[in-house]
Amino acid sequence: MTISCPFFKVNKKNNISTVEKCVIEATKVSEKDRNFNPVQNSYAALWREYETPDAPIPLMNVIRRILEYYFLQLCGFESPFLSTTVLEAIKKQIMDEAAGGVPDYTKYHLAQAMLSYINRSDAFNDGLHFVDESIDCDQYRDVFYSIFDVMNQGQHFRHMMEEAE
């Protein structure tokens, strides 16, 4: 037997309290809206933040923080090992996909950039200037998923993105 416990937020502004039921809108036609717990840890909050930015710099910052926390702190990988493993796997995928054609190393270079920012306090202070209009945030998200996939952590990615298995 499953017991459901609804969550509510009590907000107070200008000495006036309001109560709001915490409900997530249904994403599928067959689903009903569901209640959610508004309290989350900072790691879960990073994943919620990952879903929203459409600008490359905030997105890259969130990606860096998730990669550092999950792979280095939780999983215990060393940064050089993680980088080498991911980049070799992605390079192999690129070469397999090329099969007689010209390989496209865009995915490889994006993964390399993401992994190079891990554990660097000066991650975004390199003194370079660039135009971010040509950067495709969807491509960043695709490569970010690939990092989890090649490290056999795709299930964790899908769980944090609340995707169906």
Side-chain angles (χ1 to χ4, degrees), residues 71 93 144-154 157-158:
F71 286 106
Q93 286 176 356
F144 180 61
Y145 172 75
S146 293
I147 292 171
F148 279 85
D149 189 44
V150 300
M151 294 302 292
N152 296 315
Q153 300 296 317
F157 181 94
R158 289 185 298 278

Side-chain angles (χ1 to χ4, degrees), residues 1 11-12 18-19 36 42 48 57 70 76-77 79 89-90 99 101 104-105 118 128 131 134 138 152 158:
M1 178 167 91
N11 299 312
K12 190 168 193 167
T18 57
V19 178
F36 72 95
S42 59
R48 297 301 62 84
I57 297 212
Y70 183 71
F77 290 110
S79 187
I90 288 177
D104 178 5
Y105 285 98
I118 293 178
L128 298 175
V131 176
S134 63
D138 289 335
N152 296 315
R158 289 185 298 278

Side-chain angles (χ1 to χ4, degrees), residues 6-124:
F7 291 99
F8 295 87
K9 280 194 302 188
V10 178
N11 299 312
K12 190 168 193 167
K13 186 174 181 180
N14 297 327
N15 212 22
I16 298 172
S17 296
T18 57
V19 178
E20 175 186 342
K21 188 172 183 179
C22 299
V23 178
I24 295 175
E25 192 175 316
T27 56
K28 298 177 186 170
V29 174
S30 62
E31 275 187 338
K32 289 188 201 177
D33 290 350
R34 30 175 230 253
N35 193 237
F36 72 95
N37 183 347
V39 179
Q40 55 186 337
N41 65 23
S42 59
Y43 181 62
L46 278 174
W47 281 94
R48 297 301 62 84
E49 182 65 24
Y50 167 76
E51 296 172 341
T52 57
D54 289 328
I57 297 212
L59 179 61
M60 189 66 124
N61 188 31
V62 170
I63 286 172
R64 174 187 60 84
R65 291 170 61 199
I66 290 172
L67 291 175
E68 282 178 353
Y69 185 76
Y70 183 71
F71 286 106
L72 304 186
Q73 292 182 24
L74 291 181
C75 294
F77 290 110
E78 295 290 327
S79 187
F81 172 80
L82 178 65
S83 294
T84 302
T85 304
V86 168
L87 294 175
E88 284 177 6
I90 288 177
K91 188 179 245 182
K92 183 178 181 336
Q93 286 176 356
I94 291 167
M95 297 313 283
D96 290 346
E97 290 168 4
V102 178
D104 178 5
Y105 285 98
T106 305
K107 186 174 180 180
Y108 178 85
H109 293 299
L110 282 175
Q112 188 176 38
M114 287 176 188
L115 295 167
S116 71
Y117 287 128
I118 293 178
N119 275 347
R120 286 187 53 199
S121 60
D122 64 341
F124 296 105

